[in-house]
Amino acid sequence: MSTTPCIYIIQAFAGHGKDYTREILEDILKTKTKKIHFAKKAKEMIASSLKKELIKGCSNEDQKIEKLNYLKDHELGIKILGNKNAREMMQLLLGDVIRNVNPEIHALFSLKEMEQELMSNNPRIMICTDNRYKNEQELVYPVNLLESKEEKIDYIRWRIENHKTKYSNIEILELFDNLTKDSIIDKSDIDMLNKIKMKFINEIDKLNKTKKPQKDFSDFISSIDFNEIQNYTIQEGLERGLINVFRPLLPNDTNVTTNNLKEVIINYNKLKEEDFENIKF
């Protein structure tokens, strides 16, 4: 691949330094970047629909999302939807409801955001730090393997077209109601859910109105070894846009002894001799 990646996907478990890696990456790139969060669109819909007393003093979407995250992580005694706290509500809405409508929905929202960024006059390099599911990676990463901006945009449109929600708006509303009805206690719960539902339908409509692709990328996708990309070294990740923050130093299927340890680590990670000397055991 000869082009600079248009998106960097940083993979690691929670608390393993993804945001710190993003900061280092931004220093290396020395250019303006745009953050892509797979769950951001869904969180925006929920956070902006919370009951007024919960988001009092929050003046913009980012502050409301911060408050939602705070409630989810630190205020589990506060009931948000019926008898559910913020974490339980998020599990219901993001897991049971939204993923039932379309298991690819978070990636599709991100692809739409990527399309809009690439269509801007001065598109920024994008960085994603919350890739958790293999299907999300398989939908987003291939855009880096295409050469021209036009191809990248067309690929995104092809992905959206082939993975967009098949349910009608009425069917989505019915599914939403069926999965949330047992959580409702009073009118404030109904009002909040109605706001979330309508925002969700609006975002689904935006996906459905995406311009049709000009090309079929099926053969292109079939040519990608998605298992191989899991083993990229840090250098390969920088070149190709998929960084495994805590990639193991040793392959799982290799018999290593004290005699060949250095050789195996150098070969597997494509290191120079001097790089090996900087590894602390």
Side-chain angles (χ1 to χ4, degrees):
M1 186 180 70
S2 60
T3 59
T4 300
C6 70
I7 183 167
Y8 286 87
I9 300 170
I10 301 174
Q11 296 187 102
F13 294 112
H16 278 194
K18 290 177 289 187
D19 288 325
Y20 178 62
T21 303
R22 173 182 55 77
E23 293 173 5
I24 295 174
L25 181 57
E26 288 175 334
D27 287 340
I28 293 172
L29 295 173
K30 293 182 171 26
T31 186
K32 290 182 178 180
T33 62
K34 175 180 175 59
K35 297 177 187 177
I36 297 290
H37 296 288
F38 283 120
K40 184 179 179 181
K41 182 59 67 176
K43 282 187 175 182
E44 279 180 359
M45 291 185 283
I46 296 170
S48 61
S49 303
L50 288 173
K51 299 166 187 177
K52 289 183 179 180
E53 64 269 20
L54 295 172
I55 49 175
K56 186 177 180 180
C58 299
S59 59
N60 57 51
E61 297 298 327
D62 287 340
Q63 289 179 1
K64 292 174 184 177
I65 291 176
E66 281 184 25
K67 184 60 182 288
L68 176 62
N69 287 332
Y70 182 82
L71 290 168
K72 175 178 68 71
D73 296 331
H74 303 288
E75 296 288 357
L76 299 184
I78 297 178
K79 305 304 180 186
I80 309 297
L81 173 64
N83 288 318
K84 295 186 182 298
N85 59 37
R87 179 169 296 177
E88 293 166 337
M89 179 189 71
M90 295 284 281
Q91 288 170 345
L92 171 66
L93 296 179
L94 297 184
D96 296 346
V97 178
I98 291 179
R99 284 192 179 275
N100 260 289
V101 172
N102 188 335
E104 319 284 6
I105 197 66
H106 295 312
L108 295 181
F109 286 151
S110 295
L111 283 169
K112 188 66 179 175
E113 190 175 4
M114 290 170 62
E115 178 204 33
Q116 293 168 347
E117 183 66 26
L118 288 169
M119 290 174 64
S120 65
N121 291 331
N122 295 295
R124 295 162 288 181
I125 291 177
M126 295 166 275
I127 300 178
C128 174
T129 60
D130 68 340
N131 172 237
R132 292 165 293 175
Y133 300 100
K134 187 178 179 182
N135 67 312
E136 293 174 342
Q137 183 186 113
E138 291 180 0
L139 286 173
V140 174
Y141 172 71
V143 74
N144 281 334
L145 306 180
L146 296 165
E147 295 289 331
S148 70
K149 183 172 79 169
E150 290 73 24
E151 273 189 306
K152 295 175 189 290
I153 292 171
D154 201 45
Y155 163 77
I156 288 172
R157 291 171 176 169
W158 177 78
R159 275 300 201 187
I160 292 174
E161 176 68 21
N162 282 273
H163 290 272
K164 66 184 181 182
T165 302
K166 306 302 181 185
Y167 294 118
S168 69
N169 286 351
I170 292 176
E171 289 171 324
I172 292 172
L173 292 172
E174 288 177 349
L175 177 63
F176 204 106
D177 288 341
N178 288 334
L179 291 173
T180 59
K181 62 184 180 182
D182 291 338
S183 301
I184 294 172
I185 287 181
D186 57 30
K187 186 177 181 299
S188 66
D189 294 329
I190 296 173
D191 291 342
M192 181 173 67
L193 287 173
N194 282 340
K195 290 178 183 177
I196 296 171
K197 282 190 295 187
M198 299 319 298
K199 289 172 182 176
F200 185 53
I201 290 294
N202 183 53
E203 294 300 328
I204 292 292
D205 284 342
K206 289 180 184 177
L207 289 176
N208 291 339
K209 292 176 181 176
T210 299
K211 190 174 180 180
K212 302 294 183 185
Q214 297 180 3
K215 182 179 174 182
D216 187 320
F217 289 85
S218 299
D219 291 341
F220 164 65
I221 293 300
S222 298
S223 70
I224 301 171
D225 184 346
F226 287 103
N227 292 319
E228 178 189 15
I229 66 178
Q230 300 298 322
N231 293 317
Y232 282 168
T233 64
I234 294 297
Q235 184 59 45
E236 288 171 331
L238 285 171
E239 293 170 354
R240 303 174 191 181
L242 187 74
I243 300 173
N244 299 302
V245 175
F246 286 94
R247 178 181 184 274
L249 285 175
L250 297 167
N252 293 326
D253 57 353
T254 300
N255 292 321
V256 180
T257 67
T258 54
N259 293 328
N260 70 353
L261 175 64
K262 178 177 178 179
E263 179 185 1
V264 170
I265 290 177
I266 287 176
N267 291 338
Y268 181 59
N269 295 280
K270 299 178 180 159
L271 298 174
K272 298 176 182 177
E273 287 273 346
E274 55 267 31
D275 293 329
F276 177 83
E277 301 304 325
N278 291 325
I279 297 175
K280 297 179 179 181
F281 295 94

